Amino acid sequence: MKESYFKRVHAQTPTRMWINNVSRSQADLAIAAGATGCTQNPAYTWKMMQDPEERPYVMEKLAEILKDEPDDTQALVKLQRTLVEGIAQKFMPMYEASHGQCGYVSIQGDPFDETEESIVKYAKYNTANLPNMTAKIPVVPGGIKAIKKLAPERVPINTTEIMTIRQALDIADIYAGVCAKIDNPAPIYYSVITGIYDQYLAKYVQDKGIDVSPDAVWQAGLAVAKKTYAAVKERSSQIRFIGGGARGLHHFTEMVGADCVVTINWKGTADQLIEQDPPVVQRFAMPIPQSVIDELTEKVDEFRRAYYVHGITEEEYEDYGPVVLFRSSFEDAWKNALAEVKAQRAAQ
């Protein structure tokens, strides 16, 4: 009997599927389909608050938290951890059976406060109860400082908001400088958010009226991801690549063949790939044509900033367009969830 798509990918390639921002029932479906991990982000709680199936459960947990927590922001932080821990419990058997190689679930702190102090505080809080919880940390100045502090303490880390090769190389250097000096370091992942990068670049090109081939723009995020993957491999074989922010099926299928995980939503991506059941083709090793790189480099300054090591400085990471786009979606959702917390408190 023919295996399902993701199980064939896992059998034939080193590529693995992680599931993103899932409800409890979707987590069960994803695990059955072959998911080996999960990413949740600061939009997760708001998404679950709007989910007809999950909302009663979420409100029940929130009511319990509000009894003892007078601060609305801290109530939201506690609710997020409670909800994500529920998903992490579903992945614990996988984590235990693989001796900590699979079954990780990511969680991120308050997106409005990306200072070192805030990131360290919430990373420790969010990962305190379960060994398969990973702290999702943005690669911006405050996050980089926090990673240097948390890595020696063996906190599992998923570095995120990576849109440029330089951000990823910063993490490779941290691993080489910090984790190489300790025994049994916790895993560190670096997430290149290819889909969001492509979404940003397509709009940027349109808004600026740049005359560039749509085929070249379609490959821009993949070009950054492939170059980043190769560069990081040269510096460190220990940190693990994640392809993230999928906005199309190709953000998974074009990654197949890489020694990586690709995180995708269940609805609209994972379920569609299962239904379409495409052939497993290892496309990642196929190079991006030099003509594409040349056209993007010549015409699109935002591509140059991502693709070349010296195209951007650390001080510019936080305000780089694709990073702002990604973070703003978290901020909007966090703000909405916080308003719901306030409303539920007022209704008590």
Side-chain angles (χ1 to χ4, degrees):
M1 181 178 177
K2 183 181 178 182
E3 287 278 14
S4 62
Y5 175 69
F6 292 112
K7 290 185 178 179
R8 299 200 321 277
V9 170
H10 295 181
Q12 298 175 34
T13 82
T15 309
R16 298 292 178 264
M17 182 266 281
W18 280 16
I19 204 68
N20 180 61
N21 271 9
V22 283
S23 66
R24 291 171 296 164
S25 62
Q26 288 173 340
D28 292 334
L29 292 170
I31 290 170
T36 62
C38 177
T39 52
Q40 313 283 50
N41 61 44
Y44 178 67
T45 305
W46 176 237
K47 182 178 180 181
M48 294 302 101
M49 285 176 169
Q50 299 175 89
D51 186 305
E53 179 185 330
E54 289 291 315
R55 184 174 175 82
Y57 169 75
V58 174
M59 292 300 112
E60 177 185 342
K61 294 298 182 183
L62 177 57
E64 294 172 4
I65 291 168
L66 290 176
K67 291 176 184 177
D68 301 314
E69 177 51 68
D71 183 86
D72 290 339
T73 295
Q74 292 310 305
L76 178 55
V77 167
K78 291 180 179 180
L79 177 61
Q80 178 184 238
R81 187 176 79 166
T82 297
L83 299 179
V84 177
E85 283 182 346
I87 302 298
Q89 290 283 8
K90 293 179 177 293
F91 282 87
M92 272 299 293
M94 186 186 302
Y95 173 86
E96 292 169 345
S98 67
H99 303 287
Q101 296 302 303
C102 301
Y104 286 99
V105 177
S106 300
I107 182 171
Q108 187 172 340
D110 184 347
F112 285 98
D113 190 348
E114 293 187 342
T115 61
E116 174 189 358
E117 294 75 16
S118 175
I119 291 171
V120 169
K121 172 185 173 182
Y122 289 124
K124 290 183 176 181
Y125 173 79
N126 284 328
T127 60
N129 291 339
L130 295 173
N132 66 330
M133 292 278 279
T134 67
K136 203 171 187 183
I137 300 177
V139 182
V140 296
I144 290 171
K145 293 175 183 176
I147 293 162
K148 291 177 180 177
K149 184 172 290 186
L150 292 164
E153 298 183 25
R154 295 184 174 84
V155 175
I157 296 170
N158 175 2
T159 63
T160 187
E161 297 182 18
I162 295 175
M163 307 288 181
T164 71
I165 185 173
R166 178 160 181 170
Q167 288 173 286
L169 291 177
D170 284 350
I171 303 308
D173 289 343
I174 290 172
Y175 192 96
V178 175
C179 296
K181 299 175 183 177
I182 61 177
D183 294 329
N184 301 316
I188 294 184
Y189 296 88
Y190 71 100
S191 295
V192 181
I193 313 300
T194 311
I196 297 294
Y197 179 82
D198 281 344
Q199 178 185 343
Y200 170 83
L201 205 70
K203 187 174 188 303
Y204 179 84
V205 166
Q206 181 180 24
D207 290 348
K208 297 290 185 180
I210 299 172
D211 183 18
V212 58
S213 166
D215 298 320
V217 175
W218 189 88
Q219 297 176 81
L222 290 167
V224 173
K226 290 182 180 187
K227 185 178 181 183
T228 300
Y229 176 86
V232 171
K233 282 285 188 183
E234 287 181 1
R235 296 199 185 188
S236 171
S237 62
Q238 299 303 310
I239 64 173
R240 307 173 187 181
F241 174 79
I242 296 178
R247 289 297 181 269
L249 301 186
H250 66 287
H251 286 126
F252 186 92
T253 57
E254 294 292 324
M255 294 284 189
V256 172
D259 182 9
C260 74
V261 300
V262 184
T263 178
I264 55 179
N265 291 339
W266 176 259
K267 188 174 182 180
T269 306
D271 62 348
Q272 288 296 307
L273 285 168
I274 291 170
E275 181 180 348
Q276 293 183 17
D277 196 25
V280 174
V281 179
Q282 300 196 38
R283 300 183 187 277
F284 191 78
M286 183 182 298
I288 302 295
Q290 189 59 47
S291 60
V292 170
I293 302 300
D294 290 345
E295 182 175 9
L296 291 169
T297 298
E298 177 185 346
K299 296 180 178 180
V300 188
D301 56 347
E302 294 288 73
F303 177 77
R304 293 194 296 272
R305 296 180 76 190
Y307 191 76
Y308 293 102
V309 175
H310 300 295
I312 193 170
T313 65
E314 180 181 320
E315 292 72 27
E316 294 174 313
Y317 293 165
E318 200 160 11
D319 296 322
Y320 181 45
V323 174
V324 173
L325 174 64
F326 195 40
R327 186 176 61 243
S328 65
S329 67
F330 298 160
E331 291 174 343
D332 290 344
W334 190 269
K335 190 185 303 181
N336 289 337
L338 189 58
E340 182 69 44
V341 170
K342 293 179 185 295
Q344 291 299 317
R345 188 187 295 280
Q348 284 187 332

